[in-house]
Amino acid sequence: MATMKAIHPHLTSITLASTNKLPKIQANQETAINIRPHRKTSNPANRLAESLSHLLHLHVGEPTQKSLQYSTNWNAHVEEKHNTPVMSPKEDISEKWPEIHGSYEWDNLLDPLHPWLRQEIKHNTPVMSPKEDISEKWTEIHGSYEWDNLLDPLHPWLRQEIVKYGEFAQATYDAFDFDSFSEYCGSCKYNRHRLFDKLGLDKHGYNVTKYIYAMSHINLPRWFERSHLGETWSKDSNSMGFVAVSDDEESSRIGRRDIVVAWRGTVAPSEWYEDFQRELEPIGHGEAKVEHGFLSLYKSKSESTRYNKCSASEQVMREVKRLLQFYKARGEEVSLTITGHSLGGALALVNAYEAATSLPGLHVNVISFGAPRVGNIAFRDELHQMGVKTLRVVVKQDLVPRMPGFIFNESLQRFDDITGTLDWVYTHVGAELKLDVRSSPYLKHRFNVLGFHMLETYLHLVDGFHSTASTIRSDAKRDIVLVNKACNMLVDELRIPHSWYQEANKGLVCNAHGRWVKPKRDSEDIPSPTSEEHDHVLGMMHENYGELEPLLCV
C-alpha cells in the first residue's frame, strides 16, 4: 500500500466528511468537564457513514467493553514503566484525570476539544518506550506459543517489537522515490548504508545488507511506479524492500541474531477489489495455492532487465542463506522475521513459505500490517505444519484485510472441508491483533478508506493499544503527528496538516544561477546492479575482527 499522498499523486482518500465542521474552541473556555454519559444525535452524514459501515461490515462503532485482567505466566516480569507526561503549570487536572484519559470514552470532550485534553496531547512528548532485555523470552514474543495471553492485553515487550518491525515496513515507503518526474522513480532514494541513518531508524540496531527488486509478467499498472522520462534507471523493476540484520548490541538484547526482510506495498485500498479478481495458483508441491498476482511479483524475472535477472524470490533467499551460513558458522542462534504492510504483508507470507520449505529448522516469523488474504486453506495449513509463526495486525475498519473474497470468505470459514477445494476461497493465516480507530481520541472516526489503511495509522494504534476492554493508553510514546504523513486522519483541532510528508520544495533546489531544478542524486545513492552484485559477492565486514569475510553466494 503506497503511502505519501503528497509524493504519490494517484492515491486519493475516499472519505465521507461531516457536513458540520468542528466548532472553534474559544480562548477563554475554562468550563468544568461534564462527566455524565451523553450521546449526541448523529447528523445525516454520520448516519450515512454508519449505514455504509454496516453494509461493509466495518463496525466503526465504539469498541466492545468487556472485563479483562492482565494475565501472563511471566511472573518475573512487570508492565513497563513510563515517565508521567509533563503538565502545564496553569491547570490543575488532578480531580478530572480519569475523564481526560478516557474513563467516559472522552464523551463531550472531543467536539469541541476540551483545552485540558489538548494540553495532555501536546505534552505527551516521548517518542519511544524504553528498551527491555527480552533475550530469555524472545521465542514467546515471536509466537512459539501462538502469542497466548500476550495479545489482550498486549504485553509491552511484544508491543515494542511490533512497532519496531512496523517501522522497518514504513521505511520501504519513506525512502521510496514516488516522483514520476524523477529519472529514478521506483527506486530507493538512499544507498543501503545510509538508509536507517537518513530515516532515523539507526536506534533499532540493524544494518541493511541488500535491497530487493521486483517485476511482474502480468499487467499490474497500479502496482509499480513508472517514470514519465524516456531515460530512467529501470523500465522494468521497482525497489520492493530490503534485507537487514541485527548488530551485536541488539542481538544481545533480543537473544539471537535476527535477519529481517521488509516488503513494500504499493496500491490504494480502492484498487484492491478490481485487481484481485484473479485465480489461485499452486505454490510448492502440495495442494497449497496463492493469489496469482502475488506469486508473479515474487517469482518474475527476465534476462533482458538490469535489476531482475534474478527474481525477488532468488534475491531474498540468496541473501538470507548467506547471512544464515555466516552466523551459524559463528555458533549463533538465528531467526528470520519477515514484515510488510498491505501488498508487502502478502509478499511476506509467500516469502515465509519458501524460507520454511528450503530452510527447515530456522525460526521463521511473519508480522504483517493490513495484509490481504493470500492463499487457500491448504496454504494456511502447510505454513502451520512447517512451524511458521504469523501475527497479523489488523484495523477492523480497514477494507484490505477483507480481500480477496470481500463478501464470501468470512462466512465460509466454518466449512473448511467443503471450501478447501474451491479455487476462489481464500483464508487468513495465523494469530490476529485487532485494532479499532475508535479507541483513539486523536483520530477522526468518519469513514476514510485511505486513512484506515495507512501504516502510520496502524503504528499509532499499536503503540496506544492496551486491551480491547480499554481505550488508548495514556502513556503511549509514538509521535501522533506521524499519522498525518500521507492522509488526513488526525482531528482538526490538533492543527496538523494532512499529507505533510514530502521533500522540501517537492525536491526542487535552487542552483548557482538562481534556477529551480531537479537535483542530481549523489553518486552513492544512484541504483546500480553492478554495485548490488559487488556487495553481494564481497559479503559483510567481520564484526569481531574488522576484516572482510570472503563469503560466496549460494
Side-chain angles (χ1 to χ4, degrees):
M1 162 64 203
T3 67
M4 301 19 150
K5 179 180 176 184
I7 56 177
H8 197 177
H10 77 261
L11 294 187
T12 304
S13 176
I14 304 174
T15 60
L16 292 174
S18 172
T19 56
N20 296 327
K21 296 183 178 179
L22 288 175
K24 294 182 178 179
I25 297 177
Q26 300 300 321
N28 60 353
Q29 179 180 3
E30 300 293 343
T31 57
I33 299 175
N34 181 359
I35 64 173
R36 293 177 299 173
H38 172 70
R39 305 293 178 203
K40 290 179 284 189
T41 303
S42 58
N43 59 32
N46 288 335
R47 290 196 298 272
L48 176 58
E50 290 175 2
S51 299
L52 282 175
S53 70
H54 290 310
L55 175 63
L56 301 176
H57 307 289
L58 294 180
H59 307 297
V60 296
E62 304 256 343
T64 302
Q65 301 294 310
K66 56 183 178 180
S67 177
L68 287 175
Q69 294 181 346
Y70 188 87
S71 58
T72 176
N73 56 355
W74 301 358
N75 296 327
H77 310 302
V78 296
E79 175 67 89
E80 61 186 327
K81 297 178 176 64
H82 301 297
N83 294 328
T84 303
V86 179
M87 297 298 175
S88 169
K90 295 182 180 180
E91 303 291 349
D92 181 356
I93 66 169
S94 58
E95 296 183 1
K96 295 296 183 181
W97 75 264
E99 292 91 327
I100 292 173
H101 286 277
S103 62
Y104 290 98
E105 309 294 337
W106 295 281
D107 197 31
N108 294 332
L109 301 185
L110 295 178
D111 189 359
L113 186 67
H114 196 282
W116 293 0
L117 179 56
R118 186 197 306 115
Q119 170 184 283
E120 290 298 278
I121 293 171
K122 288 183 178 180
H123 286 88
N124 192 14
T125 55
V127 295
M128 188 175 179
S129 298
K131 286 188 174 183
E132 304 286 354
D133 185 335
I134 64 172
S135 56
E136 295 183 2
K137 294 293 182 180
W138 78 264
T139 55
E140 290 95 323
I141 291 173
H142 282 261
S144 60
Y145 295 104
E146 307 298 336
W147 295 279
D148 189 34
N149 293 328
L150 299 183
L151 294 177
D152 193 0
L154 181 62
H155 195 283
W157 295 2
L158 177 56
R159 181 194 300 121
Q160 183 83 19
E161 292 299 287
I162 293 173
V163 170
K164 177 179 75 174
Y165 294 114
E167 290 186 340
F168 288 150
Q170 182 64 44
T172 65
Y173 294 122
D174 292 346
F176 188 76
D177 190 345
F178 288 101
D179 185 0
S180 60
F181 293 101
S182 167
E183 61 182 306
Y184 302 111
C185 179
S187 72
C188 186
K189 296 176 184 177
Y190 317 110
N191 74 70
R192 63 179 181 84
H193 302 289
R194 299 205 305 160
L195 177 67
F196 285 168
D197 179 61
K198 294 292 289 185
L199 299 180
L201 296 180
D202 48 352
K203 62 188 179 185
H204 290 315
Y206 285 71
N207 298 306
V208 177
T209 65
K210 186 172 182 61
Y211 282 148
I212 306 166
Y213 298 91
M215 63 175 294
S216 179
H217 288 311
I218 64 176
N219 183 28
L220 299 174
R222 305 270 189 166
W223 290 21
F224 276 154
E225 294 302 316
R226 309 288 189 187
S227 175
H228 289 162
L229 305 178
E231 295 297 325
T232 66
W233 72 285
S234 173
K235 297 182 182 300
D236 308 285
S237 306
N238 269 199
S239 173
M240 285 301 294
F242 58 80
V243 181
V245 65
S246 57
D247 61 22
D248 287 347
E249 182 178 355
E250 179 68 2
S251 297
S252 176
R253 183 187 76 84
I254 62 179
R256 82 286 184 198
R257 188 71 64 170
D258 186 31
I259 302 171
V260 171
V261 181
W263 292 94
R264 181 177 60 82
T266 57
V267 297
S270 58
E271 298 160 1
W272 282 89
Y273 188 72
E274 176 184 353
D275 287 339
F276 283 161
Q277 301 311 298
R278 299 184 181 276
E279 70 275 12
L280 285 157
E281 182 175 333
I283 183 174
H285 301 291
E287 297 296 322
K289 296 181 179 181
V290 296
E291 201 277 329
H292 177 60
F294 298 151
L295 199 59
S296 177
L297 278 173
Y298 189 67
K299 291 289 190 179
S300 291
K301 62 180 179 179
S302 173
E303 281 296 328
S304 64
T305 66
R306 297 183 65 194
Y307 291 88
N308 277 110
K309 297 182 187 302
C310 295
S311 67
S313 163
E314 292 169 330
Q315 295 168 49
V316 68
M317 289 308 302
R318 186 172 60 181
E319 182 67 3
V320 168
K321 289 177 180 177
R322 183 181 74 82
L323 293 170
L324 182 62
Q325 176 186 349
F326 175 65
Y327 289 110
K328 284 287 188 180
R330 294 171 53 171
E332 297 189 32
E333 187 171 13
V334 183
S335 68
L336 174 62
T337 308
I338 312 175
T339 189
H341 167 250
S342 193
L343 170 64
L347 294 174
L349 267 187
V350 177
N351 185 186
Y353 184 93
E354 181 177 23
T357 301
S358 59
L359 299 170
L362 176 63
H363 184 99
V364 181
N365 181 215
V366 176
I367 299 179
S368 67
F369 302 83
R373 301 184 187 94
V374 176
N376 63 0
I377 292 169
F379 176 69
R380 177 198 65 188
D381 292 345
E382 287 186 32
L383 281 170
H384 179 74
Q385 292 164 8
M386 290 187 291
V388 174
K389 304 301 181 182
T390 301
L391 177 60
R392 295 182 300 107
V393 184
V394 175
V395 170
K396 73 177 185 179
Q397 289 86 2
D398 187 5
L399 292 176
V400 171
R402 299 175 177 272
M403 300 179 184
F406 183 73
I407 299 175
F408 301 106
N409 284 269
E410 297 295 333
S411 58
L412 289 175
Q413 290 298 304
R414 69 192 70 178
F415 303 113
D416 285 5
D417 292 340
I418 300 174
T419 61
T421 60
L422 300 178
D423 282 348
W424 48 269
V425 175
Y426 294 78
T427 186
H428 275 304
V429 177
E432 179 182 86
L433 173 62
K434 181 167 284 189
L435 309 170
D436 188 349
V437 168
R438 303 275 313 177
S439 68
S440 173
Y442 314 138
L443 301 181
K444 294 175 180 176
H445 300 161
R446 66 180 181 230
F447 188 54
N448 184 337
V449 172
L450 181 64
F452 292 159
H453 186 57
M454 300 305 279
L455 181 51
E456 287 291 358
T457 302
Y458 272 76
L459 295 179
H460 165 68
L461 291 172
V462 170
D463 190 50
F465 182 78
H466 175 66
S467 74
T468 54
S470 63
T471 51
I472 196 168
R473 64 191 182 110
S474 61
D475 52 1
K477 300 294 182 181
R478 210 160 183 276
D479 191 353
I480 61 174
V481 174
L482 296 173
V483 173
N484 264 17
K485 283 170 71 172
C487 64
N488 186 17
M489 278 294 291
L490 292 175
V491 294
D492 293 338
E493 292 299 332
L494 290 176
R495 301 178 182 178
I496 307 301
H498 64 83
S499 304
W500 57 263
Y501 188 85
Q502 63 180 29
E503 291 183 287
N505 303 313
K506 295 191 175 181
L508 295 180
V509 297
C510 191
N511 67 15
H513 304 288
R515 300 287 186 180
W516 288 92
V517 297
K518 284 275 186 183
K520 295 292 184 181
R521 274 198 190 179
D522 292 342
S523 58
E524 61 183 2
D525 293 330
I526 295 176
S528 167
T530 303
S531 65
E532 287 286 328
E533 187 62 23
H534 179 69
D535 283 348
H536 185 70
V537 172
L538 288 180
M540 63 175 57
M541 192 70 68
H542 193 291
E543 295 180 351
N544 287 342
Y545 304 102
E547 59 189 16
L548 201 62
E549 288 292 320
L551 296 178
L552 299 178
C553 304
V554 178

